[in-house]
Amino acid sequence: MTSLIKENASGHPGDGGANFLINEVVGVPGGIGADARRARAEALDGWLRGIFPARAGIALVAVGGLGRRQCAPYGDVDLVLLHAGVPGIDELAASLWYPIWDAGLRLDHSVRTVAEALSVAQDDVKVALGLLDARHVAGDPVLADQLVRTAADHWRRTAVRQLPKLREITDARWEAHGELAFLLEGDLKEAAGGLRDVGLLRAIATAGVTDALRPAVHAAHRRLLDTRDALHQQVGRRVDRVVAQERDGVAALLGLRASLTGDADAEAVTIGDGDVLLRRVAGDARTVSHALDDAWRAADRLRAGRHRSAAGRPLRRPVARDVVEQDGELVLARTAIGARPDPSLSLRVAAAAATTRLPIARATCEWLAAYCPPLPAPWPPAARAALITLLGAGPGLVPAWETCDRYGLIDGWLPEWTRLRSLPQHNPVHRFTLDRHLVQAAYEASRHTRDVDRPDLLLLGAFLHDIGKGLPGDHSTVGAPLAEAVATRIGLPDDEAALITKLVRLHLLLPDVATRRDLSDPKTIAGVAERVGDTTTLDLLHGLVRADAAATGPAAWSEWKGRLVAELVARVRTALDTGVVPAPPAPDPALVAGPLPVVHLGEDRVSVAAADRRGLLATVAGCLALHRLEVISADAATVDGRALVQCRVQPRYGLAPDPIALTADLRRAVTGDVSVTQRLRGRALAARARGAAPRVVWHREAATDAVLLELRAADAAGLLYRVAGALDEAGAQVRAARISTLGGDVVDVFYLVGGWPTPADRERIEAAVLAAV
């Protein structure tokens, strides 16, 4: 809790302190679970009583985990020393704090009179919440009881007024830590749906606003505490974030084991122990988040008061067929409850919630889950229209979808959702679990619906594009028939279901080609045009690519990647509209005239012209690496005896290099300056990539005049320089290079002039490349 007088929380004042296991200090056996936490608290109570100074007018009060008797193995000790104005209180406090520090415990402490504690609580809502956990440990019980009772009474009187401020603080914390239910490495305490939010629910329940601590919340809270206990025990120190390398160990301590999920057919898939843990944490976090959403709404209604008609009845406003607004929530119209329910009713309620951005009342969700009949196959038009409205609702989609998922409505619409729910995506560029990623992709696709002829198919394609993940095989290929089955079930005509299938199968085509192929090669454009088939599909894929990237995370997209994809789309559109593949762009006139060498620096381009010689691409790439520039793409050509190299670049660490120094180094390097060459070689040796073994893949029919060598390896500064140099020394002429970074790995594609038909030649080139990595 926040305090006016507070030393370093981890040890002596100014000292980093130790992080000792509580059990080692108080002699309690370790363990996971409520009994172990309670035993640690009782042992700590006894130990603190033993060192508490015998003096009238003082009391020791525990708050935080010790106050709640929920001590984690490596938790803090949060204490308040209460006094009734006794003299020498600072010396008394020091005689208590120093033995705790000397024992190696992390201490958060304050010294207060009851009036001071209540005054601070009145000004600081976080302190007010902390005092709700206050519990007498030692000393004067009457003094401690006065604080406990008065703090609780004060909170009950002022809670409704203080909750908006508390919500602002909570929203800021959520913004910083994200949503625990959808994160691969979420913070069990601070993220939305974590342990800190359970404390908010407890405070709201104490204020009598709503029955926030329902049995499901208690169970979720207990499991989250167990997970934190296991995490402490696994790591051997205080930590609240379950990182990837600790998941399996934590799962083992909790007795969680991998299991076969899905049905006995194509959708059966085995998940690991760590994934079982992630799914359990996600489910518990969702339970807490949903309960807190309900509690916030109850507080809002209480603060605003109920709107009633002149006759004293609640005001009801129709918002959609069979749906009305009452007290800021959506409920069913009386006619909908009295009649036999329409199977599309739950979808129509969800669509109304998403478009109006109003929550669905808890009782309405429970009624829909219990009484709404299952949807027939194919769906009726009203249900299909409601789904598209829901997916295209923009910001209202995610909360409405989460509410429906909470009450099991989604499983009734899409049986596949059981397999997709809370499924982790083990890729560093992904920020969300699979289910949230799909919903987020539909939300992002709603930004591009005006760019396409069929916005409904864009929304549905975005929602289904990764449906094959978690199953064996390439998820695009595996997911295509699954998406077709969903499209057919919801009632799309055969041609539209086939288009959805195509979108899912090809949803990675544009970004893969844009970042790994030469867009000036006619064969590249002709190949994409043949696979896409028409401009309607092309536009849908372009919208899907942007939605998918935005839903994945900031590392999945960049300005340069967007430009490459847009350039590819423009060229393919020309080919589809005219039947003629666009000619490759002519080289910059400034590079083919004037004295050599020529060096041009643009916003994201570096162009060099020099006397024709071998190794120019490697030299330029190495010089760019020296100046911390990443090469995204590179093109090499020879025009009238001049060697031309044009690179698209971006700063490796976000800071642009000194253009004067870069230009000078490039000029000296391409003219053979030995000092620059030595610097390149030294940097190359020092920056070799580490990680899994690199791999080479050949593509012999992908270019007009070259064979493609694809290198998959760990990313490292200077990698292009080393590989281009190795290719040059092996006698391979590089016409173009495309560099695609995926997290810590790269997929680098080199266009090697000539056919390289013999296996012996290819093996020799491959060995040279792998040796350079």
Side-chain angles (χ1 to χ4, degrees), residues 488-579:
T488 301
R489 189 191 317 136
I490 69 174
L492 289 185
D494 290 346
D495 59 335
E496 295 179 5
L499 183 50
I500 291 294
T501 307
K502 191 174 185 178
L503 293 178
V504 173
R505 188 174 64 252
L506 299 182
H507 76 271
L508 295 178
L509 174 65
L510 296 183
D512 283 353
V513 171
T515 57
R516 302 181 188 178
R517 295 294 183 265
D518 180 8
L519 302 189
S520 65
D521 190 329
K523 196 163 188 175
T524 299
I525 305 305
V528 174
E530 181 180 2
R531 297 185 69 185
V532 171
D534 57 76
T535 56
T536 295
T537 304
L538 179 66
D539 289 338
L540 288 171
L541 286 171
H542 192 198
L544 176 52
V545 165
R546 289 174 286 175
D548 185 16
T552 297
W557 197 250
S558 62
E559 188 176 340
W560 69 264
K561 191 170 183 179
R563 286 199 300 268
L564 288 176
V565 171
E567 180 182 341
L568 172 61
V569 169
R571 289 176 172 272
V572 173
R573 183 187 306 282
T574 299
L576 291 171
D577 284 341
T578 66

Side-chain angles (χ1 to χ4, degrees), residues 327-388:
D327 290 329
E329 295 181 325
L330 296 187
V331 300
L332 292 174
R334 295 184 180 92
T335 54
I337 297 175
R340 176 176 173 81
D342 175 357
S344 66
L345 181 59
S346 61
L347 271 163
R348 291 191 286 107
V349 172
T355 53
T356 61
R357 301 178 69 175
L358 291 172
I360 308 172
R362 173 180 162 191
T364 298
C365 290
E366 292 172 344
W367 190 93
L368 290 170
Y371 299 111
C372 192
L375 287 158
W379 288 8
R384 186 168 60 256
L387 176 63
I388 297 303

